[in-house]
Amino acid sequence: MDAEVLKKYRPYQPVDLPDRTWPSNVIKKSPVWCSVDLRDGNQALIQPMSLEEKLEMFQLLINIGFKEIEVGFPSASQIEYDFMRLLIDGNRIPGDVVIQTLTQSRESLIKKTFASLKGCKEAIVHLYNSTSTLQRNVVFKKGRKEIIELGVAGAKLIRQEAAKTDTRIRYEYSPESFTGTELPYALEICEAIMDVWEPTPDNPMIINLPATVEMSTPNIYADQIEWFCRNLKNRDAALISLHAHNDRGTAVAATELALMAGADRVEGTLFANGERTGNVDLVTLALNMFTQGIDPGLDFSNINKVINVTERCTKIKLHPRHPYAGELVYTAFSGSHQDAINKGMAAIEDNEETGWAVPYLPIDPRDVGRTYESIIRINSQSGKGGVAYIMDREFGYKLPKEMHPGFGRVVQEVADACGDELSPEMIMHTFEKEYLFNSNGFALKAFNVLKRHIDSAEELSSAEVEAVLKIHGQEKNLHAVGNGPLDAFCKALREMGGLSFTLHAYHEHALTKGSSSKAVTYIEIIDEDEEGWWGAGVDTDIIISSIKALLSALNRADNKPGK
């Protein structure tokens, strides 16, 4: 970067807090959550929500479990005012939910805010004014004393209006752009507001300390919060609230560290919607806690519904890599990742009392309403483990481990050719084409077991079989006796069909998906060149499925390059 360009920027000054305690703390309980989707999130939309969309979003937030919801800025526009009245007049606010309204420190706005609340049982009135050095000097051109006087005047008017109403009013104050405000000055103005509202431990006010613009590394925000909590008079009469934006991309981390530093409450939005790079993402924060065994108090067990409503109301598509919620976050394309997930899932199933411990998956997808079928996705980077996982989970085919590399290569060739992700159906189609329906060289027309004999004294058995087989277009009748039907058929192929091969491996199982009456057999042969070839067969008769599997292996060997 050009040195002259870099001169425009200055590093953010750290907080002098050598005895900070927050790095040793851990989050043990969820904070008080406040959704600002309907206000902060809504004002950042290209097309703000209609009344119907606001109502749908409000109901979603209630269903998730939010008890505090900032529903709008009723003095700022008619639709914001109308929505407030829609909620109150329609009796749509549950008894355990408190709505929150935002207002600047101006008499007309404050009075209209209280008019919008008429008939409401309880509400938080959220007062803010800008306090940062930059805002004071550039936007308002006012000194520190004047800014404090502005905030205090608004606080006094709010208290006066609260005394006139039947609504139980809770107070909240935000020194906007807190992170750009000198800490002693931020403390001074907040304490001046406290002097007006006179909160108590039984009736605390909310002091919201917003990173209106994220300006530093997360640890500095945590230092600011710890410093503020230490120095605030009557700390037990205030709930310290966080409101982080994501300009540096670290809003979640900043909020988590600030909670460790002593904050009590968090304001944010679903999936980080908001001005510029957005607000802190409450979904990520809550599920981060969930993965540590902490009840977040918010229900994201049906994450797809939350996504659908949010996308519909905001008209913003969720990124496929969004934490916990994106389309691709419970998938693995890498072969080594797929193999590790497959083994981890198997270990969990073998020991259900074990806690969640699956490589690459910090959360059980079922806990957010996802299914295992979508965990592994197959493309040209995928490996044999992922392909085997899909065959097992989607279709019930438990391929022998020795068969995985061969089928993995077949699928990879198909993925390379199409240049795209393969769906489970495409993988199954490839399996059928390669193994089940491959009859170019050898095709079974008929098969019968003529006689079975068991010599109990010698513990031996024998079987006589006959078959009609089409070999390279020529129909042949085969007949032989062997230790069992499969052994007899192998003898017939060698003696009458002129084939040279050795039966090397045999596996079978009932299909676990689809028809329970079908069995699948996997057979590996060693051909005359000492190469191994796997085949597979499916039938309601286990003997026929083994005959089909043998012919499948012979067909694959017959079709090898150079033959």
Side-chain angles (χ1 to χ4, degrees):
M1 184 70 74
D2 187 277
E4 291 300 315
V5 174
L6 288 175
K7 287 180 181 179
K8 294 193 297 185
Y9 302 97
R10 298 288 184 272
Y12 192 91
Q13 292 301 307
V15 179
D16 184 16
L17 196 69
D19 59 341
R20 60 182 59 83
T21 62
W22 65 261
S24 299
N25 295 336
V26 295
I27 298 172
K28 295 181 179 179
K29 64 177 184 177
S30 63
V32 175
W33 302 107
C34 177
S35 161
V36 295
D37 290 87
L38 291 166
R39 200 278 303 169
D40 206 346
N42 185 56
Q43 75 178 31
L45 298 177
I46 296 173
Q47 182 180 341
M49 297 180 218
S50 65
L51 285 175
E52 292 75 16
E53 289 165 340
K54 278 175 167 281
L55 196 58
E56 184 178 14
M57 179 63 77
F58 182 71
Q59 189 59 53
L60 173 69
L61 296 170
I62 289 172
N63 293 342
I64 290 170
F66 286 98
K67 302 304 179 185
E68 296 182 5
I69 302 173
E70 190 166 88
V71 295
F73 201 148
S75 60
S77 71
Q78 189 61 43
I79 192 172
E80 298 281 287
Y81 188 94
D82 290 344
F83 181 60
M84 184 73 74
R85 297 314 311 166
L86 180 67
L87 293 178
I88 297 170
D89 294 339
N91 197 27
R92 290 182 166 91
I93 305 170
D96 61 346
V97 173
V98 179
I99 60 170
Q100 179 172 306
T101 66
L102 186 70
T103 181
Q104 292 171 314
S105 187
R106 289 165 52 187
E107 181 177 358
S108 61
L109 302 182
I110 291 171
K111 288 191 172 183
K112 189 169 183 180
T113 297
F114 274 88
S116 75
L117 288 171
K118 185 178 180 180
C120 184
K121 177 183 176 183
E122 183 177 3
I124 299 169
V125 175
H126 182 184
L127 171 70
Y128 79 97
N129 65 309
S130 296
T131 60
S132 72
T133 308
L134 188 61
Q135 294 269 22
R136 295 195 315 261
N137 295 338
V138 175
V139 180
F140 298 101
K141 301 187 187 302
K142 293 181 182 292
R144 294 187 180 190
K145 183 179 178 182
E146 293 172 291
I147 293 295
I148 290 177
E149 289 174 348
L150 179 64
V152 166
K156 287 180 177 178
L157 183 56
I158 286 173
R159 183 163 186 177
Q160 291 170 11
E161 293 296 315
K164 301 175 187 177
T165 181
D166 293 331
T167 302
R168 178 176 182 260
I169 299 297
R170 292 169 54 194
Y171 301 123
E172 176 175 354
Y173 175 68
S174 289
E176 190 195 8
S177 299
F178 165 75
T179 49
T181 304
E182 307 91 331
L183 276 175
Y185 180 62
L187 182 67
E188 182 182 359
I189 192 169
C190 287
E191 289 185 340
I193 301 296
M194 289 184 79
D195 289 341
V196 175
W197 284 341
E198 298 182 307
T200 65
D202 293 331
N203 187 27
M205 66 175 282
I206 300 165
I207 297 180
N208 190 50
L209 302 175
T212 309
V213 177
E214 190 176 34
M215 305 169 72
S216 69
T217 50
N219 60 298
I220 292 180
Y221 189 47
D223 280 348
Q224 291 171 322
I225 299 302
E226 182 167 339
W227 184 95
F228 193 95
C229 289
R230 283 190 195 183
N231 290 280
L232 179 69
K233 68 179 183 181
N234 302 327
R235 170 66 180 91
D236 59 352
L239 294 173
I240 301 302
S241 179
L242 308 171
H243 184 116
H245 281 252
N246 199 42
D247 300 85
R248 289 171 56 93
T250 57
V252 167
T255 301
E256 289 179 329
L257 299 190
L259 287 171
M260 292 159 57
D264 310 295
R265 181 178 184 266
V266 173
E267 294 186 351
T269 60
L270 302 177
F271 308 122
N273 178 39
E275 295 280 14
R276 304 180 310 281
T277 54
N279 291 58
V280 69
D281 177 14
L282 299 185
V283 178
T284 300
L285 276 174
L287 291 177
N288 280 356
M289 294 179 190
F290 182 77
T291 66
Q292 304 304 301
I294 299 168
D295 181 2
L298 298 176
D299 182 5
F300 293 110
S301 60
N302 188 352
I303 197 78
N304 286 339
K305 181 178 180 181
V306 178
I307 294 167
N308 292 338
V309 173
T310 304
E311 287 184 336
R312 183 163 58 251
C313 292
T314 64
K315 301 172 182 63
I316 296 175
K317 294 292 292 181
L318 192 72
H319 194 284
R321 298 292 182 190
H322 195 101
Y324 299 112
E327 179 188 359
L328 299 179
V329 298
Y330 301 112
T331 69
F333 289 100
S334 161
S336 61
H337 287 208
Q338 292 171 350
D339 183 59
I341 290 172
N342 196 4
K343 291 174 179 174
M345 297 288 287
I348 290 289
E349 289 181 359
D350 290 342
N351 186 358
E352 294 182 356
E353 296 183 1
T354 302
W356 182 254
V358 174
Y360 303 111
L361 291 178
I363 191 173
D364 185 342
R366 290 177 299 186
D367 291 333
V368 290
R370 293 290 179 84
T371 58
Y372 290 142
E373 283 74 6
S374 62
I375 287 179
I376 290 182
R377 307 278 282 268
I378 305 300
N379 66 10
S380 60
Q381 302 302 307
S382 304
K384 59 185 184 297
V387 172
Y389 182 93
I390 293 293
M391 289 298 296
D392 184 1
R393 296 288 171 171
E394 294 282 353
F395 306 108
Y397 286 79
K398 302 180 184 299
L399 307 186
K401 188 167 184 177
E402 298 81 6
M403 191 176 174
H404 293 184
F407 185 46
R409 285 191 295 270
V410 172
V411 171
Q412 195 166 45
E413 288 174 3
V414 175
D416 284 334
C418 76
D420 199 357
E421 176 188 344
L422 299 185
S423 67
E425 290 71 24
M426 293 171 70
I427 294 167
M428 184 63 203
H429 175 73
T430 301
F431 181 79
E432 291 173 336
K433 182 178 179 182
E434 181 72 18
Y435 294 94
L436 302 184
F437 304 146
N438 181 356
S439 57
N440 292 335
F442 305 91
L444 185 67
K445 305 297 290 182
F447 181 86
N448 291 296
V449 178
L450 300 178
K451 292 181 183 178
R452 295 292 300 266
H453 176 70
I454 298 177
D455 187 334
S456 55
E458 297 291 331
E459 295 185 348
L460 297 175
S461 66
S462 63
E464 180 181 357
V465 303
E466 66 177 7
V468 179
L469 203 65
K470 186 173 280 189
I471 303 177
H472 296 128
Q474 299 295 317
E475 197 168 286
K476 287 195 174 184
N477 294 311
L478 305 180
H479 178 272
V481 177
N483 293 331
L486 181 60
D487 181 63
F489 187 64
C490 288
K491 281 187 177 181
L493 288 172
R494 295 188 191 102
E495 295 170 0
M496 305 179 69
L499 302 180
S500 177
F501 64 91
T502 302
L503 195 64
H504 186 253
Y506 180 98
H507 298 267
E508 65 183 42
H509 67 79
L511 276 176
T512 57
K513 300 248 177 126
S515 174
S516 59
S517 63
K518 287 187 177 182
V520 57
T521 304
Y522 311 97
I523 284 178
E524 184 189 25
I525 65 167
I526 305 297
D527 68 11
E528 56 190 1
D529 298 323
E530 298 190 352
E531 289 186 67
W533 299 92
W534 281 93
V538 177
D539 201 88
T540 53
D541 186 327
I542 190 64
I543 295 174
I544 300 300
S545 73
S546 65
I547 299 301
K548 289 179 177 179
L550 174 61
L551 293 177
S552 169
L554 288 170
N555 276 313
R556 296 189 69 239
D558 190 59
N559 294 333
K560 68 181 180 181
K563 184 163 181 179

PDB file of all heavy atoms in Angstrom, residues 282-309:
ATOM      1  N   LEU A 282     -27.061 -12.524  16.233  1.00  0.00           N
ATOM      2  CA  LEU A 282     -27.562 -13.182  17.432  1.00  0.00           C
ATOM      3  C   LEU A 282     -27.665 -14.698  17.268  1.00  0.00           C
ATOM      4  O   LEU A 282     -27.576 -15.437  18.251  1.00  0.00           O
ATOM      5  CB  LEU A 282     -28.922 -12.603  17.823  1.00  0.00           C
ATOM      6  CG  LEU A 282     -28.937 -11.104  18.158  1.00  0.00           C
ATOM      7  CD1 LEU A 282     -30.325 -10.684  18.643  1.00  0.00           C
ATOM      8  CD2 LEU A 282     -27.881 -10.749  19.186  1.00  0.00           C
ATOM      9  N   VAL A 283     -27.859 -15.160  16.041  1.00  0.00           N
ATOM     10  CA  VAL A 283     -27.921 -16.609  15.808  1.00  0.00           C
ATOM     11  C   VAL A 283     -26.567 -17.237  16.120  1.00  0.00           C
ATOM     12  O   VAL A 283     -26.463 -18.242  16.832  1.00  0.00           O
ATOM     13  CB  VAL A 283     -28.341 -16.916  14.352  1.00  0.00           C
ATOM     14  CG1 VAL A 283     -28.364 -18.422  14.116  1.00  0.00           C
ATOM     15  CG2 VAL A 283     -29.696 -16.305  14.042  1.00  0.00           C
ATOM     16  N   THR A 284     -25.505 -16.643  15.584  1.00  0.00           N
ATOM     17  CA  THR A 284     -24.161 -17.167  15.825  1.00  0.00           C
ATOM     18  C   THR A 284     -23.813 -17.095  17.304  1.00  0.00           C
ATOM     19  O   THR A 284     -23.291 -18.061  17.882  1.00  0.00           O
ATOM     20  CB  THR A 284     -23.131 -16.391  14.999  1.00  0.00           C
ATOM     21  OG1 THR A 284     -23.445 -16.525  13.613  1.00  0.00           O
ATOM     22  CG2 THR A 284     -21.718 -16.922  15.230  1.00  0.00           C
ATOM     23  N   LEU A 285     -24.088 -15.960  17.945  1.00  0.00           N
ATOM     24  CA  LEU A 285     -23.795 -15.828  19.371  1.00  0.00           C
ATOM     25  C   LEU A 285     -24.512 -16.894  20.190  1.00  0.00           C
ATOM     26  O   LEU A 285     -23.909 -17.554  21.043  1.00  0.00           O
ATOM     27  CB  LEU A 285     -24.236 -14.442  19.855  1.00  0.00           C
ATOM     28  CG  LEU A 285     -23.277 -13.271  19.667  1.00  0.00           C
ATOM     29  CD1 LEU A 285     -23.960 -11.975  20.073  1.00  0.00           C
ATOM     30  CD2 LEU A 285     -22.012 -13.478  20.490  1.00  0.00           C
ATOM     31  N   ALA A 286     -25.799 -17.070  19.937  1.00  0.00           N
ATOM     32  CA  ALA A 286     -26.592 -18.019  20.723  1.00  0.00           C
ATOM     33  C   ALA A 286     -26.114 -19.450  20.509  1.00  0.00           C
ATOM     34  O   ALA A 286     -25.978 -20.220  21.471  1.00  0.00           O
ATOM     35  CB  ALA A 286     -28.067 -17.885  20.361  1.00  0.00           C
ATOM     36  N   LEU A 287     -25.833 -19.812  19.263  1.00  0.00           N
ATOM     37  CA  LEU A 287     -25.416 -21.188  18.993  1.00  0.00           C
ATOM     38  C   LEU A 287     -23.970 -21.430  19.408  1.00  0.00           C
ATOM     39  O   LEU A 287     -23.606 -22.568  19.728  1.00  0.00           O
ATOM     40  CB  LEU A 287     -25.650 -21.528  17.525  1.00  0.00           C
ATOM     41  CG  LEU A 287     -27.142 -21.631  17.159  1.00  0.00           C
ATOM     42  CD1 LEU A 287     -27.328 -21.899  15.673  1.00  0.00           C
ATOM     43  CD2 LEU A 287     -27.841 -22.720  17.976  1.00  0.00           C
ATOM     44  N   ASN A 288     -23.144 -20.394  19.430  1.00  0.00           N
ATOM     45  CA  ASN A 288     -21.812 -20.542  20.025  1.00  0.00           C
ATOM     46  C   ASN A 288     -21.944 -20.973  21.480  1.00  0.00           C
ATOM     47  O   ASN A 288     -21.217 -21.849  21.961  1.00  0.00           O
ATOM     48  CB  ASN A 288     -21.041 -19.229  19.954  1.00  0.00           C
ATOM     49  CG  ASN A 288     -20.414 -18.979  18.595  1.00  0.00           C
ATOM     50  OD1 ASN A 288     -20.477 -19.819  17.703  1.00  0.00           O
ATOM     51  ND2 ASN A 288     -19.812 -17.824  18.433  1.00  0.00           N
ATOM     52  N   MET A 289     -22.860 -20.341  22.209  1.00  0.00           N
ATOM     53  CA  MET A 289     -23.090 -20.714  23.609  1.00  0.00           C
ATOM     54  C   MET A 289     -23.639 -22.137  23.707  1.00  0.00           C
ATOM     55  O   MET A 289     -23.226 -22.925  24.560  1.00  0.00           O
ATOM     56  CB  MET A 289     -24.063 -19.728  24.262  1.00  0.00           C
ATOM     57  CG  MET A 289     -23.515 -18.331  24.402  1.00  0.00           C
ATOM     58  SD  MET A 289     -24.717 -17.208  25.152  1.00  0.00           S
ATOM     59  CE  MET A 289     -23.882 -15.636  24.869  1.00  0.00           C
ATOM     60  N   PHE A 290     -24.558 -22.456  22.814  1.00  0.00           N
ATOM     61  CA  PHE A 290     -25.178 -23.782  22.799  1.00  0.00           C
ATOM     62  C   PHE A 290     -24.125 -24.881  22.675  1.00  0.00           C
ATOM     63  O   PHE A 290     -24.207 -25.913  23.353  1.00  0.00           O
ATOM     64  CB  PHE A 290     -26.174 -23.847  21.645  1.00  0.00           C
ATOM     65  CG  PHE A 290     -26.932 -25.139  21.537  1.00  0.00           C
ATOM     66  CD1 PHE A 290     -27.989 -25.420  22.382  1.00  0.00           C
ATOM     67  CD2 PHE A 290     -26.588 -26.077  20.580  1.00  0.00           C
ATOM     68  CE1 PHE A 290     -28.690 -26.612  22.279  1.00  0.00           C
ATOM     69  CE2 PHE A 290     -27.283 -27.269  20.462  1.00  0.00           C
ATOM     70  CZ  PHE A 290     -28.338 -27.536  21.314  1.00  0.00           C
ATOM     71  N   THR A 291     -23.111 -24.669  21.819  1.00  0.00           N
ATOM     72  CA  THR A 291     -22.073 -25.683  21.629  1.00  0.00           C
ATOM     73  C   THR A 291     -21.182 -25.836  22.854  1.00  0.00           C
ATOM     74  O   THR A 291     -20.396 -26.788  22.925  1.00  0.00           O
ATOM     75  CB  THR A 291     -21.182 -25.361  20.414  1.00  0.00           C
ATOM     76  OG1 THR A 291     -20.439 -24.159  20.669  1.00  0.00           O
ATOM     77  CG2 THR A 291     -21.995 -25.208  19.147  1.00  0.00           C
ATOM     78  N   GLN A 292     -21.292 -24.902  23.804  1.00  0.00           N
ATOM     79  CA  GLN A 292     -20.523 -25.010  25.045  1.00  0.00           C
ATOM     80  C   GLN A 292     -21.379 -25.522  26.198  1.00  0.00           C
ATOM     81  O   GLN A 292     -20.981 -25.467  27.360  1.00  0.00           O
ATOM     82  CB  GLN A 292     -19.956 -23.632  25.415  1.00  0.00           C
ATOM     83  CG  GLN A 292     -19.104 -22.997  24.333  1.00  0.00           C
ATOM     84  CD  GLN A 292     -17.964 -23.889  23.899  1.00  0.00           C
ATOM     85  OE1 GLN A 292     -17.114 -24.268  24.704  1.00  0.00           O
ATOM     86  NE2 GLN A 292     -17.935 -24.243  22.618  1.00  0.00           N
ATOM     87  N   GLY A 293     -22.579 -26.012  25.866  1.00  0.00           N
ATOM     88  CA  GLY A 293     -23.449 -26.563  26.891  1.00  0.00           C
ATOM     89  C   GLY A 293     -24.219 -25.518  27.674  1.00  0.00           C
ATOM     90  O   GLY A 293     -24.732 -25.809  28.757  1.00  0.00           O
ATOM     91  N   ILE A 294     -24.314 -24.295  27.124  1.00  0.00           N
ATOM     92  CA  ILE A 294     -25.053 -23.214  27.785  1.00  0.00           C
ATOM     93  C   ILE A 294     -26.394 -23.042  27.081  1.00  0.00           C
ATOM     94  O   ILE A 294     -26.446 -22.941  25.853  1.00  0.00           O
ATOM     95  CB  ILE A 294     -24.257 -21.894  27.710  1.00  0.00           C
ATOM     96  CG1 ILE A 294     -22.909 -22.035  28.421  1.00  0.00           C
ATOM     97  CG2 ILE A 294     -25.055 -20.727  28.301  1.00  0.00           C
ATOM     98  CD1 ILE A 294     -21.959 -20.890  28.150  1.00  0.00           C
ATOM     99  N   ASP A 295     -27.462 -22.997  27.853  1.00  0.00           N
ATOM    100  CA  ASP A 295     -28.785 -22.754  27.270  1.00  0.00           C
ATOM    101  C   ASP A 295     -28.859 -21.290  26.865  1.00  0.00           C
ATOM    102  O   ASP A 295     -28.851 -20.410  27.731  1.00  0.00           O
ATOM    103  CB  ASP A 295     -29.876 -23.072  28.288  1.00  0.00           C
ATOM    104  CG  ASP A 295     -31.280 -22.853  27.732  1.00  0.00           C
ATOM    105  OD1 ASP A 295     -31.415 -22.490  26.539  1.00  0.00           O
ATOM    106  OD2 ASP A 295     -32.247 -23.034  28.505  1.00  0.00           O
ATOM    107  N   PRO A 296     -28.958 -20.997  25.560  1.00  0.00           N
ATOM    108  CA  PRO A 296     -28.977 -19.591  25.147  1.00  0.00           C
ATOM    109  C   PRO A 296     -30.318 -18.909  25.399  1.00  0.00           C
ATOM    110  O   PRO A 296     -30.415 -17.681  25.305  1.00  0.00           O
ATOM    111  CB  PRO A 296     -28.669 -19.663  23.649  1.00  0.00           C
ATOM    112  CG  PRO A 296     -29.185 -20.994  23.230  1.00  0.00           C
ATOM    113  CD  PRO A 296     -28.963 -21.910  24.406  1.00  0.00           C
ATOM    114  N   GLY A 297     -31.349 -19.692  25.683  1.00  0.00           N
ATOM    115  CA  GLY A 297     -32.657 -19.104  25.892  1.00  0.00           C
ATOM    116  C   GLY A 297     -33.355 -18.701  24.611  1.00  0.00           C
ATOM    117  O   GLY A 297     -34.425 -18.083  24.650  1.00  0.00           O
ATOM    118  N   LEU A 298     -32.768 -19.034  23.482  1.00  0.00           N
ATOM    119  CA  LEU A 298     -33.363 -18.776  22.174  1.00  0.00           C
ATOM    120  C   LEU A 298     -33.456 -20.100  21.430  1.00  0.00           C
ATOM    121  O   LEU A 298     -32.531 -20.924  21.493  1.00  0.00           O
ATOM    122  CB  LEU A 298     -32.520 -17.773  21.374  1.00  0.00           C
ATOM    123  CG  LEU A 298     -32.369 -16.378  21.985  1.00  0.00           C
ATOM    124  CD1 LEU A 298     -31.435 -15.528  21.124  1.00  0.00           C
ATOM    125  CD2 LEU A 298     -33.713 -15.691  22.155  1.00  0.00           C
ATOM    126  N   ASP A 299     -34.538 -20.308  20.716  1.00  0.00           N
ATOM    127  CA  ASP A 299     -34.805 -21.594  20.072  1.00  0.00           C
ATOM    128  C   ASP A 299     -34.521 -21.520  18.579  1.00  0.00           C
ATOM    129  O   ASP A 299     -35.260 -20.897  17.823  1.00  0.00           O
ATOM    130  CB  ASP A 299     -36.267 -21.979  20.309  1.00  0.00           C
ATOM    131  CG  ASP A 299     -36.620 -23.332  19.708  1.00  0.00           C
ATOM    132  OD1 ASP A 299     -35.718 -24.014  19.189  1.00  0.00           O
ATOM    133  OD2 ASP A 299     -37.804 -23.714  19.746  1.00  0.00           O
ATOM    134  N   PHE A 300     -33.430 -22.168  18.172  1.00  0.00           N
ATOM    135  CA  PHE A 300     -33.101 -22.250  16.751  1.00  0.00           C
ATOM    136  C   PHE A 300     -33.139 -23.702  16.271  1.00  0.00           C
ATOM    137  O   PHE A 300     -32.381 -24.109  15.392  1.00  0.00           O
ATOM    138  CB  PHE A 300     -31.717 -21.631  16.485  1.00  0.00           C
ATOM    139  CG  PHE A 300     -31.694 -20.140  16.710  1.00  0.00           C
ATOM    140  CD1 PHE A 300     -31.001 -19.597  17.778  1.00  0.00           C
ATOM    141  CD2 PHE A 300     -32.398 -19.299  15.870  1.00  0.00           C
ATOM    142  CE1 PHE A 300     -30.992 -18.227  17.994  1.00  0.00           C
ATOM    143  CE2 PHE A 300     -32.389 -17.920  16.074  1.00  0.00           C
ATOM    144  CZ  PHE A 300     -31.696 -17.395  17.145  1.00  0.00           C
ATOM    145  N   SER A 301     -34.034 -24.492  16.873  1.00  0.00           N
ATOM    146  CA  SER A 301     -34.135 -25.908  16.512  1.00  0.00           C
ATOM    147  C   SER A 301     -34.717 -26.108  15.123  1.00  0.00           C
ATOM    148  O   SER A 301     -34.593 -27.196  14.550  1.00  0.00           O
ATOM    149  CB  SER A 301     -34.980 -26.662  17.544  1.00  0.00           C
ATOM    150  OG  SER A 301     -36.294 -26.117  17.607  1.00  0.00           O
ATOM    151  N   ASN A 302     -35.364 -25.084  14.567  1.00  0.00           N
ATOM    152  CA  ASN A 302     -35.854 -25.148  13.191  1.00  0.00           C
ATOM    153  C   ASN A 302     -35.219 -23.988  12.420  1.00  0.00           C
ATOM    154  O   ASN A 302     -35.876 -23.007  12.086  1.00  0.00           O
ATOM    155  CB  ASN A 302     -37.376 -25.062  13.145  1.00  0.00           C
ATOM    156  CG  ASN A 302     -37.940 -25.309  11.757  1.00  0.00           C
ATOM    157  OD1 ASN A 302     -37.194 -25.411  10.771  1.00  0.00           O
ATOM    158  ND2 ASN A 302     -39.249 -25.390  11.644  1.00  0.00           N
ATOM    159  N   ILE A 303     -33.925 -24.110  12.181  1.00  0.00           N
ATOM    160  CA  ILE A 303     -33.171 -23.006  11.588  1.00  0.00           C
ATOM    161  C   ILE A 303     -33.661 -22.679  10.187  1.00  0.00           C
ATOM    162  O   ILE A 303     -33.619 -21.516   9.757  1.00  0.00           O
ATOM    163  CB  ILE A 303     -31.654 -23.333  11.582  1.00  0.00           C
ATOM    164  CG1 ILE A 303     -30.808 -22.072  11.373  1.00  0.00           C
ATOM    165  CG2 ILE A 303     -31.304 -24.353  10.527  1.00  0.00           C
ATOM    166  CD1 ILE A 303     -30.665 -21.243  12.595  1.00  0.00           C
ATOM    167  N   ASN A 304     -34.172 -23.677   9.476  1.00  0.00           N
ATOM    168  CA  ASN A 304     -34.645 -23.416   8.115  1.00  0.00           C
ATOM    169  C   ASN A 304     -35.838 -22.461   8.103  1.00  0.00           C
ATOM    170  O   ASN A 304     -35.946 -21.598   7.225  1.00  0.00           O
ATOM    171  CB  ASN A 304     -35.011 -24.726   7.406  1.00  0.00           C
ATOM    172  CG  ASN A 304     -33.792 -25.520   7.009  1.00  0.00           C
ATOM    173  OD1 ASN A 304     -32.697 -24.975   6.888  1.00  0.00           O
ATOM    174  ND2 ASN A 304     -33.951 -26.812   6.805  1.00  0.00           N
ATOM    175  N   LYS A 305     -36.727 -22.602   9.082  1.00  0.00           N
ATOM    176  CA  LYS A 305     -37.874 -21.685   9.149  1.00  0.00           C
ATOM    177  C   LYS A 305     -37.397 -20.266   9.442  1.00  0.00           C
ATOM    178  O   LYS A 305     -37.900 -19.297   8.860  1.00  0.00           O
ATOM    179  CB  LYS A 305     -38.860 -22.140  10.215  1.00  0.00           C
ATOM    180  CG  LYS A 305     -40.076 -21.225  10.310  1.00  0.00           C
ATOM    181  CD  LYS A 305     -41.086 -21.700  11.346  1.00  0.00           C
ATOM    182  CE  LYS A 305     -42.272 -20.757  11.416  1.00  0.00           C
ATOM    183  NZ  LYS A 305     -43.266 -21.181  12.427  1.00  0.00           N
ATOM    184  N   VAL A 306     -36.438 -20.136  10.348  1.00  0.00           N
ATOM    185  CA  VAL A 306     -35.894 -18.811  10.673  1.00  0.00           C
ATOM    186  C   VAL A 306     -35.277 -18.180   9.428  1.00  0.00           C
ATOM    187  O   VAL A 306     -35.471 -16.996   9.145  1.00  0.00           O
ATOM    188  CB  VAL A 306     -34.849 -18.925  11.804  1.00  0.00           C
ATOM    189  CG1 VAL A 306     -34.248 -17.550  12.122  1.00  0.00           C
ATOM    190  CG2 VAL A 306     -35.478 -19.515  13.054  1.00  0.00           C
ATOM    191  N   ILE A 307     -34.553 -18.991   8.662  1.00  0.00           N
ATOM    192  CA  ILE A 307     -33.933 -18.495   7.426  1.00  0.00           C
ATOM    193  C   ILE A 307     -35.007 -18.053   6.437  1.00  0.00           C
ATOM    194  O   ILE A 307     -34.926 -16.962   5.851  1.00  0.00           O
ATOM    195  CB  ILE A 307     -33.044 -19.585   6.799  1.00  0.00           C
ATOM    196  CG1 ILE A 307     -31.850 -19.895   7.697  1.00  0.00           C
ATOM    197  CG2 ILE A 307     -32.559 -19.153   5.408  1.00  0.00           C
ATOM    198  CD1 ILE A 307     -31.116 -21.157   7.309  1.00  0.00           C
ATOM    199  N   ASN A 308     -36.008 -18.898   6.244  1.00  0.00           N
ATOM    200  CA  ASN A 308     -37.035 -18.606   5.232  1.00  0.00           C
ATOM    201  C   ASN A 308     -37.786 -17.316   5.538  1.00  0.00           C
ATOM    202  O   ASN A 308     -38.000 -16.481   4.650  1.00  0.00           O
ATOM    203  CB  ASN A 308     -38.023 -19.780   5.141  1.00  0.00           C
ATOM    204  CG  ASN A 308     -37.391 -21.032   4.580  1.00  0.00           C
ATOM    205  OD1 ASN A 308     -36.367 -20.960   3.893  1.00  0.00           O
ATOM    206  ND2 ASN A 308     -37.969 -22.180   4.853  1.00  0.00           N
ATOM    207  N   VAL A 309     -38.199 -17.139   6.797  1.00  0.00           N
ATOM    208  CA  VAL A 309     -38.940 -15.924   7.152  1.00  0.00           C
ATOM    209  C   VAL A 309     -38.045 -14.697   7.029  1.00  0.00           C
ATOM    210  O   VAL A 309     -38.456 -13.661   6.495  1.00  0.00           O
ATOM    211  CB  VAL A 309     -39.509 -16.038   8.584  1.00  0.00           C
ATOM    212  CG1 VAL A 309     -40.132 -14.704   9.014  1.00  0.00           C
ATOM    213  CG2 VAL A 309     -40.543 -17.152   8.659  1.00  0.00           C
TER     214      VAL A 309
END
